[in-house]
Amino acid sequence: MTHAHTPRRLHGYGVRWDPEGRCYRVRNETTGQWQHGADGELASYTSFTVAFDAWRVFEPPRRLGE
């Protein structure tokens, strides 16, 4: 699913709840792309904690003073 085809309900960055999928989705803050699994489908997480950990991998490094 490309950025142009991402459902409107999932616009944003970081960890988002997908009410239709009843799961959390993760968006890469550096590239703006949604995380996909090995099967090519949007990655889904049932636990916010696990989704947040996946999101932190994509979190851009903070600069000193920001």
Side-chain angles (χ1 to χ4, degrees):
M1 178 178 292
T2 64
H3 175 68
H5 296 105
T6 301
R8 175 170 263 233
R9 63 188 161 66
L10 288 179
H11 282 191
Y13 290 100
V15 178
R16 296 282 183 222
W17 175 252
D18 178 359
E20 286 182 21
R22 297 181 52 124
C23 61
Y24 293 98
R25 308 283 186 187
V26 174
R27 187 161 187 193
N28 182 319
E29 292 197 14
T30 304
T31 66
Q33 296 297 312
W34 290 94
Q35 186 181 33
H36 290 79
D39 59 1
E41 296 293 320
L42 278 174
S44 61
Y45 300 91
T46 56
S47 164
F48 177 83
T49 303
V50 175
F52 183 75
D53 288 344
W55 172 76
R56 287 184 54 105
V57 171
F58 297 122
E59 186 177 10
R62 305 264 184 223
R63 294 183 187 178
L64 189 60
E66 285 185 16

